[in-house]
Amino acid sequence: MTPTFLAGVQQRAREALSSPGLIRLITEIDDNGPIPQRALARTLPDLATPHLRQSTDLARALNLVRHRPGSGLDLTTAGVELADLYDALARWARRHSYPTPVCDFTRRIQGTLALLDEVLAVTEGRELRIPTVLSAQARAELAGPRDLLEQWLRAHPQTVQPPTAA
């Protein structure tokens, strides 16, 4: 992927992958196993029913989850790999107190995905807006999550394809 292409791809992917409901759904299944279809609302009570439905529809459209008879909603290979990516992003963010020293898992992932968009802006010749509060070590270590995201995007291009008209 060329840097300019990657930057455009990353922005579309970040919009999809940074959905709070999608993050919660993927990480819940990764942490606790398949969710029976009728137990979704009970398992994720902090998500309103329409938001939960939207998140599961998005996860299905991106081939991140599938329904397994007898066990419920489960992760596909792409979903398992995304859960691993989410964990790596959150670990980097927690280690470097990003975006704030105290925040939740979802916000750490969203903040790091947004920060990676800013890092890629440099490759397009735009001004870099990485927060100056990040240490040189944090900036250097950001290459790890960036590389993981790039690998995931290459392996799962369906997440970045523009929606087709029905």
Side-chain angles (χ1 to χ4, degrees):
M1 288 183 198
T2 63
T4 302
F5 175 74
L6 180 59
V9 162
Q10 172 134 0
Q11 182 178 3
R12 287 191 303 274
R14 183 181 60 80
E15 290 169 3
L17 301 181
S18 65
S19 160
L22 183 68
I23 293 169
R24 290 273 294 115
L25 179 65
I26 296 299
T27 56
E28 178 67 31
I29 296 171
D30 183 57
D31 291 346
N32 299 305
I35 302 172
Q37 191 67 29
R38 294 182 183 223
L40 274 170
R42 193 173 55 247
T43 304
L44 300 167
D46 55 316
L47 296 178
T49 301
H51 195 202
L52 185 58
R53 187 172 300 117
Q54 181 183 31
S55 299
T56 55
D57 289 348
L58 176 61
R60 282 188 180 108
L62 297 176
N63 193 33
L64 301 172
V65 297
R66 66 176 176 267
H67 179 76
R68 287 188 12 197
S71 61
L73 201 58
D74 198 7
L75 297 177
T76 62
T77 300
V80 169
E81 292 169 357
L82 179 61
D84 292 343
L85 173 62
Y86 282 161
D87 286 340
L89 295 173
R91 272 193 310 276
W92 178 89
R94 194 171 29 257
R95 186 169 43 252
H96 299 291
S97 299
Y98 191 80
T100 61
V102 178
C103 65
D104 65 24
F105 184 81
T106 300
R107 191 159 161 235
R108 288 195 192 283
I109 291 169
Q110 291 172 319
T112 306
L113 285 170
L115 179 61
L116 288 170
D117 273 353
E118 294 300 324
V119 169
L120 287 173
V122 171
T123 63
E124 293 186 313
R126 296 189 314 220
E127 181 181 337
L128 180 63
R129 293 180 289 179
I130 292 180
T132 56
V133 295
L134 289 181
S135 68
Q137 180 181 358
R139 291 177 192 207
E141 290 177 5
L142 192 57
R146 181 194 178 277
D147 291 346
L148 287 174
L149 178 60
E150 182 177 340
Q151 290 169 8
W152 192 87
L153 292 172
R154 284 183 173 158
H156 307 289
Q158 76 277 7
T159 61
V160 296
Q161 299 302 321
T164 55

